[in-house]
């Protein structure tokens, strides 16, 4: 899979470019199109970071998998192979009975910690990364998760020299890539949290959906963000409690992403993935549509990206792969 592809990186006398890939569920396939456009225009990617769905694409790229090879992987995907439901109708009845007899007022307080065990997706991840750690990459890599016990952001990164630390964050460099990605994609309520070194890890998007900040700390002079989060589109079909909660989470996440993007990113690419619909479509056709939307969005900003790289002085220290 890794044959004949070498990621393009900057020469020693040019600015270091970092690319941050956000979460976004299945819309995360748009990241493949963005990377494809950057490579075709010979934009160097000296380091890459990812959250949730973005962590999968970032890790594949960091290990030497080209966008074309990612497309080949997608062709062989069967989404049903990733579904391993933890909760059944029988479980719901059982937990409902526990709720009625426990004296607790919140029904969800007696439900399990996720709908999907995540064992199948872990097997998929292990298939591609085996025993590779965050040190065993061709391009420096950062993956984010959140420890719900301590509320800390957890950064799994390639080792780098740092004189400053991001507030309320922990750093790990020897973690298996498959463990880091599994933690980052643990969407609360959907996947069981990932247990790691006494922590209970969930989706990095809870605190850091667009991990541009870590790239600055790793030494990037230019940071390109790819944001697949909620774009602020009006939604007039919110009726249930669940829909209200999800919309509130989307709004809060958008505000945090906008603040981080404005502070740490030089350019933010926002593919128009929300305009696509799943109805009456083959799911693989839909995934490749996301890829094309990502590529188109990157191409629309390509001239600005090139001008930026040519104009930015080298202001950060280089990463150390020790």
């Amino acid at each position: 899979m890794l044959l004949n592809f070498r990621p393009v990186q900057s020469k020693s006398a040019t600015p270091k470019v970092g690319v941050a890939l956000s979460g976004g569920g299945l819309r995360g396939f748009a990241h493949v199109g963005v990377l494809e456009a950057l490579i075709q225009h010979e934009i160097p990617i000296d380091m890459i970071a990812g959250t949730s769905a973005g962590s999968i694409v970032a890790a594949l790229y960091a290990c030497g998998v080209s966008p074309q090879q990612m497309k080949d992987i997608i062709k062989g995907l069967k989404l049903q192979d990733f579904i391993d439901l933890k909760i059944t109708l029988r479980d719901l009845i059982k937990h409902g009975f526990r709720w009625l007899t426990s004296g607790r007022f919140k029904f969800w307080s007696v439900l399990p910690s996720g709908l999907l065990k995540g064992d199948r997706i872990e097997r998929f991840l292990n298939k591609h990364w085996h025993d590779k750690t965050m040190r065993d990459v061709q391009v420096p890599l950062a993956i984010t998760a959140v420890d719900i016990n301590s509320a800390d952001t957890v950064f799994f990164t390639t080792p780098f020299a740092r004189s400053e630390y991001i507030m309320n964050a922990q750093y790990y460099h020897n973690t298996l890539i498959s463990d880091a990605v599994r933690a980052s994609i643990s969407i609360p309520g959907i996947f069981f949290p990932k247990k790691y070194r006494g922590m209970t890890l969930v989706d990095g998007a809870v605190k850091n959906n667009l991990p541009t900040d870590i790239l600055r700390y790793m030494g990037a002079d230019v940071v390109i963000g790819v944001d697949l989060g909620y774009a602020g589109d009006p939604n007039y079909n919110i009726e249930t409690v669940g829909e209200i909660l999800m919309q509130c989470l989307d709004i809060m996440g958008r505000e945090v992403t906008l603040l981080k993007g404005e502070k740490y990113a030089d350019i933010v690419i926002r593919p128009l993935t929300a305009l696509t619909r799943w109805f009456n479509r083959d799911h693989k056709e839909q995934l490749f549509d996301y890829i094309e939307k990502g590529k188109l969005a990157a191409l629309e900003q390509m001239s600005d990206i090139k001008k930026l790289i040519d104009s930015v002085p080298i202001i950060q220290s280089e990463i150390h792969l020790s």
Side-chain angles (χ1 to χ4, degrees):
M1 177 192 291
L2 309 184
L3 190 63
N4 297 328
F5 176 70
R6 295 293 301 177
V8 177
Q9 292 181 275
S10 297
K11 298 178 182 179
S12 58
T14 55
K16 300 296 181 185
V17 179
V19 177
L21 308 180
S22 80
L26 292 175
R27 290 176 290 120
F29 287 95
H31 292 313
V32 178
V34 172
L35 294 181
E36 185 175 42
L38 294 176
I39 292 168
Q40 288 178 353
H41 284 262
E42 299 184 334
I43 302 298
I45 301 176
D46 298 289
M47 58 197 75
I48 190 165
T51 293
S52 198
S55 73
I56 299 176
V57 178
L60 286 170
Y61 183 83
C63 288
V65 181
S66 71
Q68 182 56 54
Q69 290 166 326
M70 294 182 202
K71 290 182 180 180
D72 293 338
I73 293 173
I74 294 169
K75 290 176 183 177
L77 286 181
K78 296 180 180 179
L79 295 182
Q80 61 269 28
D81 291 342
F82 299 109
I83 306 300
D84 47 3
L85 284 175
K86 174 64 177 176
I87 188 166
T88 63
L89 178 59
R90 182 178 179 180
D91 292 325
L92 285 174
I93 295 172
K94 178 180 71 174
H95 289 300
F97 182 75
R98 284 178 56 194
W99 169 62
L100 289 171
T101 58
S102 66
R104 300 181 182 182
F105 294 99
K106 296 180 180 179
F107 174 64
W108 49 84
S109 66
V110 294
L111 290 175
S113 55
L115 297 177
L116 302 178
K117 291 182 287 186
D119 293 343
R120 291 185 179 180
I121 199 164
E122 283 207 41
R123 285 196 292 269
F124 170 79
L125 298 177
N126 287 325
K127 174 183 175 183
H128 290 283
W129 291 300
H130 303 291
D131 295 324
K132 289 183 181 294
T133 71
M134 299 299 293
R135 295 175 180 268
D136 304 319
V137 291
Q138 296 183 26
V139 175
L141 171 66
I143 291 172
T144 66
V146 174
D147 177 18
I148 59 174
N149 300 126
S150 67
D152 284 347
T153 302
V154 176
F155 290 111
F156 300 104
T157 74
T158 303
F160 65 97
R162 60 183 183 272
S163 57
E164 299 180 80
Y165 292 81
I166 295 174
M167 186 181 298
N168 299 322
Q170 301 181 44
Y171 302 84
Y172 295 91
H173 308 303
N174 296 313
T175 307
L176 292 173
I177 296 175
S178 56
D179 284 344
V181 172
R182 172 62 178 85
S184 189
I185 66 172
S186 297
I187 304 170
I190 303 299
F191 283 103
F192 266 47
K194 175 69 176 177
K195 297 292 185 179
Y196 182 80
R197 296 193 181 186
M199 298 181 290
T200 303
L201 302 179
V202 297
D203 192 331
V206 169
K207 285 184 67 178
N208 197 345
N209 193 43
L210 186 60
T212 51
D213 51 355
I214 187 62
L215 292 174
R216 290 293 187 192
Y217 283 80
M218 290 173 69
D221 302 302
V222 174
V223 173
I224 301 168
V226 186
D227 180 15
L228 301 178
Y230 173 58
D233 305 314
N235 186 347
Y236 300 105
N237 298 311
I238 301 173
E239 298 177 353
T240 68
V241 172
E243 289 170 342
I244 292 172
L245 289 173
M246 291 305 299
Q247 182 72 358
C248 289
L249 289 173
D250 282 342
I251 292 170
M252 289 187 291
R254 177 174 182 256
E255 292 303 307
V256 172
T257 298
L258 289 175
L259 286 172
K260 281 184 176 288
E262 183 175 308
K263 183 175 181 179
Y264 295 104
D266 297 293
I267 286 181
V268 178
I269 300 170
R270 292 188 171 92
L272 299 176
T273 53
L275 300 181
T276 334
R277 295 291 179 265
W278 277 85
F279 302 114
N280 301 318
R281 300 188 65 179
D282 176 80
H283 73 270
K284 289 183 184 177
E285 179 186 348
Q286 175 68 73
L287 299 182
F288 278 94
D289 190 45
Y290 286 149
I291 292 173
E292 287 305 308
K293 280 186 165 55
K295 185 173 183 178
L296 177 61
L299 290 174
E300 288 177 345
Q301 293 185 250
M302 194 59 64
S303 61
D304 292 335
I305 293 171
K306 291 180 178 180
K307 289 177 183 177
L308 176 65
I309 293 173
D310 290 339
S311 65
V312 171
I314 304 172
I315 57 176
Q316 298 282 358
S317 59
E318 293 185 13
I319 194 166
H320 297 278
L321 296 173
S322 58

